[in-house]
Amino acid sequence: NMLSVMVEGGAQTLQSFIDSAFWDEIRKIQSDSSAPEIQNNDQAVPAPIIPTAIHVSHEKLATDKIDIYTNPSQIHQATLND
């Protein structure tokens, strides 16, 4: 049985998993700095939109911010299966 899958993809791939509710946990890593060619680019691809989620924790690693979210519908489903 497969217990977990890590998906690392572009915004469109990630958004499709989010929209389908096929996720248990999201780890959003945001850097305080970005490459100069990205900072001034009006055509940059926006990050996926995280729907209603439970914010579990916030951490800092050097200059990066890491936020962890869980899917409330998955928690409810896990409770029903116990």
Side-chain angles (χ1 to χ4, degrees), residues 17-30:
F17 273 86
I18 292 169
D19 292 344
S20 299
F22 289 152
W23 64 279
D24 296 321
E25 179 180 278
I26 293 174
R27 291 180 182 245
K28 180 177 98 175
I29 303 171
Q30 185 175 1

Side-chain angles (χ1 to χ4, degrees), residues 4-77:
S4 64
V5 174
M6 182 175 143
V7 176
E8 184 176 4
Q12 190 173 14
T13 300
L14 294 173
Q15 193 68 60
S16 68
F17 273 86
I18 292 169
D19 292 344
S20 299
F22 289 152
W23 64 279
D24 296 321
E25 179 180 278
I26 293 174
R27 291 180 182 245
K28 180 177 98 175
I29 303 171
Q30 185 175 1
S31 178
D32 283 341
S33 61
S34 61
E37 64 272 10
I38 295 173
Q39 289 177 343
N40 300 316
N41 185 351
D42 292 336
Q43 296 179 5
V45 176
I49 297 169
I50 300 173
T52 302
I54 299 170
H55 187 247
V56 176
S57 70
H58 175 80
E59 303 171 21
K60 280 193 69 99
L61 179 63
T63 61
D64 292 345
K65 294 178 255 179
I66 305 169
D67 289 291
I68 300 174
Y69 300 88
T70 57
N71 184 341
S73 65
Q74 295 297 329
I75 292 172
H76 177 69
Q77 187 63 38

